[in-house]
Amino acid sequence: LNATDPAVAAVVPWTADDAVTRLFVTHYRPLVRLAALLLHDAAAAEEVAQDAFVALHRAWRRLREPDRAEAYLRQIVVNRCRSALRHRAVVDRFLRREGPEETMPSAESGAIAAENHAEVLAALRRLPTRQREALILRYYGDLSEAQVAEAMGISPGAVKSHTARGLARLRLTMAQPI
Amino acid sequence: MNAGEGRDHGDGMGRAELLREILAARAEAVPISPDALGTIRARVGRDTRRRRGLAVGFSALATGAAAAVTAVVLSLGSAVPVVPASSTPGPTKPVPTTPVPTTPAPTTGPTTTTPPGLAALPIYLVGTVDGRDVLFREFHSAPGGDLPVRIRGALTDMIDGSPADPDYRTAWPAGAQVRGVRVQGDAIIVDLTVPAETPAQPALALQQLVHTATAVAASSGEPGLTSVRVLVDGASVARLWGVATSEPMVRESSAEILARVWLSSPQHGAVVGRTFHVQIVGTVYEATAVVRVRDAGGGVVRDETVTLDNGAPSRGEVRVSLTLAPGTYTLEAFYYSAKDGSVQGLDDHTIKVR
């Protein structure tokens, strides 16, 4: 029995192990990246994404549906990132990393664009948590307002207003040529 | 409500698009560990045992489907270096290595032209500024060729540590060698042989390597190669000189590890024409740095405040044109402390104007 064969998976319900393995392939990288954008800490981002899969394994009996699993994984990532940011050590690192993006090669070819991106990202990091979350989920995750609302645990109306305010606050930074 | 918020819908749309692009670019640069599924399985196993008091978890699936899963991940084009991550290297696949240049990477000393067959490659070296050891970049001539050959040449040069500027040095111990370099996904894989002796500044040495390898990639049109994975004698090691190396390494934040300002060009010892360009790189407050020129007697002949194209926290650059009479000069780049106006971060190069 090959757990990765879609034809087999369609008829045999996934076990929790199957779910983790299958969903890992499609969702792990995007989730690490989402967490990295929310946290600005690549190592912590991986831990958060791994937490989400461990939680998924535990909750699989209740979830059952791959579609629901995706939303569940995202909720866990958003929640864990929130708690991680509350944690002092991470907050300190977060604030210290106001510098240029450390994973971007600088001052070599094409680096100036990367540095300007870094300014926008720095401005994004200074936004209130909910505004930052709404913008990242909406524009990195390409989610609908309803999906963002689900991930953040707030109403779609609140997502709309956090997104609008967040974008408006980024206005000054992004008015500069990029 | 912000007064300007509803003013221009078109501008708002453009902003969203731009933010989308920037987030996508940033997300692309996030390194992803190669063995996350293994880590998750191990954690699920521990979690399950703890909750049920039973030794069940992933073991049954892990053996059967691991190969299939790896195949799926690779077929999706993900950057998953398949390298055994073990502190006790067993039989491992030989690492394909780039051909060894028949002559050692020449250290031709400072020149303004690049000899045939060689490429000018960025090399990061260590200097001490205001009591802090930080990285500076020089350009050295090293063997040209495809990207792995260039990276290998640059790293060999970096390890040998023949800086043009005598104020710079390498943090690498003598005897270290690059066995091979290859590119896998968004990682540069560097296979090393290292001497038993631990260098004085292992973390700085590894950052020198990460900066140099990624700079060569970026200057060769591959700015997406932002992480470096180190192998020792062909195998992944958990730690090298006490520094964790089981995961790909990326650049430390520039503010922490790079010189705040430096003279990128001309290099120390360069011979230039009467009119030449001075290039300054830096992460400085208000994007403001100073270029000062002293003659052989130490007298200041030029003193110019220059504006870099980006201010702190971003890294900026500026190029200014100078015309000087023939002779020997010392160029200085520095910035004034915002706190007390003192000279900070001084980098100087002695050059000859012919």
Side-chain angles (χ1 to χ4, degrees):
Chain A
L1 185 73
N2 187 343
T4 61
D5 181 342
V8 174
V11 285
V12 181
W14 293 355
T15 64
D17 289 356
D18 295 340
V20 168
T21 305
R22 295 281 313 241
L23 295 166
F24 176 89
V25 173
T26 42
H27 298 308
Y28 183 73
R29 292 170 73 89
L31 287 170
V32 172
R33 289 173 165 164
L34 173 63
L37 291 173
L38 291 169
L39 284 176
H40 200 63
D41 182 329
E46 289 235 26
E47 253 182 70
V48 164
Q50 290 167 11
D51 282 352
F53 280 93
V54 174
L56 173 81
H57 190 271
R58 204 179 295 169
W60 183 248
R61 201 190 287 250
R62 181 165 54 80
L63 289 167
R64 298 284 171 108
E65 303 276 334
D67 289 351
R68 290 180 61 199
E70 185 183 345
Y72 178 81
L73 286 167
R74 210 155 40 220
Q75 272 173 358
I76 302 269
V77 165
V78 171
N79 277 330
R80 298 289 160 100
C81 286
R82 251 180 229 165
S83 349
L85 281 175
R86 263 184 237 119
H87 193 269
R88 183 143 199 96
V90 178
V91 170
D92 286 346
R93 255 181 294 165
F94 183 84
L95 294 176
R96 196 147 34 83
R97 290 186 185 183
E98 288 284 298
E101 293 302 304
E102 68 274 21
T103 56
M104 302 280 190
S106 315
E108 276 79 40
S109 62
I112 298 312
E115 297 278 9
N116 283 322
H117 284 195
E119 281 178 33
V120 174
L121 291 165
L124 186 66
R125 292 204 292 284
R126 287 190 291 267
L127 291 181
T129 307
R130 301 292 146 121
Q131 292 179 13
R132 191 176 61 249
E133 285 174 359
L135 289 181
I136 290 172
L137 287 164
R138 191 91 170 85
Y139 296 113
Y140 168 65
D142 259 332
L143 302 181
S144 68
E145 270 169 9
Q147 286 171 312
V148 176
E150 191 183 9
M152 290 178 64
I154 59 176
S155 72
V159 169
K160 200 189 273 293
S161 91
H162 284 312
T163 310
R165 284 186 200 160
L167 268 186
R169 279 209 181 188
L170 286 184
R171 184 170 53 94
L172 281 180
T173 309
M174 297 173 73
Q176 307 294 325
I178 298 281
Chain B
M1 277 286 139
N2 188 309
E5 194 172 327
R7 190 179 49 198
D8 187 345
H9 186 65
D11 182 41
M13 293 300 286
R15 219 149 52 218
E17 274 317 301
L18 192 52
L19 182 59
R20 204 187 293 276
E21 269 172 41
I22 290 173
L23 289 173
R26 176 67 189 117
E28 270 306 304
V30 173
I32 310 271
S33 84
D35 191 37
L37 185 57
T39 308
I40 292 168
R41 283 173 170 167
R43 287 185 54 191
V44 164
R46 279 198 300 277
D47 180 64
T48 311
R49 280 194 296 278
R50 195 169 54 238
R51 285 186 303 127
R52 296 189 197 157
L54 291 171
V56 293
F58 249 109
S59 50
L61 181 63
T63 46
V69 170
T70 303
V72 170
V73 172
L74 288 174
S75 72
L76 291 174
S78 307
V80 182
V82 186
V83 174
S86 161
S87 52
T88 53
T92 52
K93 274 185 236 158
V95 177
T97 54
T98 54
V100 186
T102 47
T103 50
T107 45
T108 54
T111 79
T112 47
T113 55
T114 304
L118 298 177
L121 298 177
I123 312 280
Y124 279 83
L125 295 153
V126 180
T128 306
V129 181
D130 307 328
R132 267 178 74 224
D133 289 329
V134 289
L135 299 183
F136 289 84
R137 184 191 60 197
E138 286 191 344
F139 282 90
H140 287 197
S141 297
D146 66 8
L147 184 57
V149 171
R150 292 157 79 94
I151 292 175
R152 183 189 180 132
L155 293 178
T156 301
D157 190 294
M158 173 202 81
I159 289 170
D160 293 347
S162 309
D165 187 331
D167 294 338
Y168 305 159
R169 62 184 188 278
T170 184
W172 281 78
Q177 279 183 349
V178 184
R179 296 175 77 225
V181 172
R182 68 200 153 106
V183 171
Q184 194 164 45
D186 54 9
I188 299 162
I189 302 187
V190 178
D191 186 10
L192 298 165
T193 291
V194 294
E197 123 199 53
T198 299
Q201 294 171 298
L204 200 57
L206 287 165
Q207 276 299 315
Q208 229 190 310
L209 178 139
V210 170
H211 274 77
T212 301
T214 51
V216 173
S219 67
S220 307
E222 295 280 357
L225 292 172
T226 53
S227 65
V228 176
R229 197 176 166 82
V230 167
L231 307 180
V232 175
D233 296 326
S236 180
V237 290
R239 307 188 87 78
L240 172 57
W241 302 319
V243 179
T245 49
S246 58
E247 305 291 325
M249 290 180 290
V250 296
R251 292 184 169 199
E252 292 276 334
S253 122
S254 328
E256 301 281 326
I257 200 151
L258 294 184
R260 291 292 298 274
V261 62
W262 78 83
L263 279 163
S264 177
S265 169
Q267 299 198 151
H268 185 84
V271 178
V272 299
R274 294 186 55 164
T275 297
F276 61 100
H277 286 110
V278 177
Q279 185 159 14
I280 312 282
V281 182
T283 309
V284 286
Y285 180 68
E286 293 289 1
T288 303
V290 180
V291 177
R292 189 180 271 172
V293 183
R294 293 180 189 274
D295 61 20
V300 174
V301 296
R302 296 290 279 276
D303 189 316
E304 290 188 17
T305 299
V306 297
T307 305
L308 279 60
D309 56 4
N310 267 300
S314 295
R315 178 164 152 179
E317 299 200 10
V318 66
R319 205 158 81 128
V320 291
S321 177
L322 286 181
T323 302
L324 296 171
T328 299
Y329 296 90
T330 302
L331 304 177
E332 299 176 346
F334 59 89
Y335 63 100
Y336 288 113
S337 159
K339 216 184 326 177
D340 57 13
S342 61
V343 169
Q344 297 284 315
L346 180 76
D347 185 27
D348 61 4
H349 290 169
T350 300
I351 61 156
K352 194 171 277 181
V353 177
R354 61 167 184 262

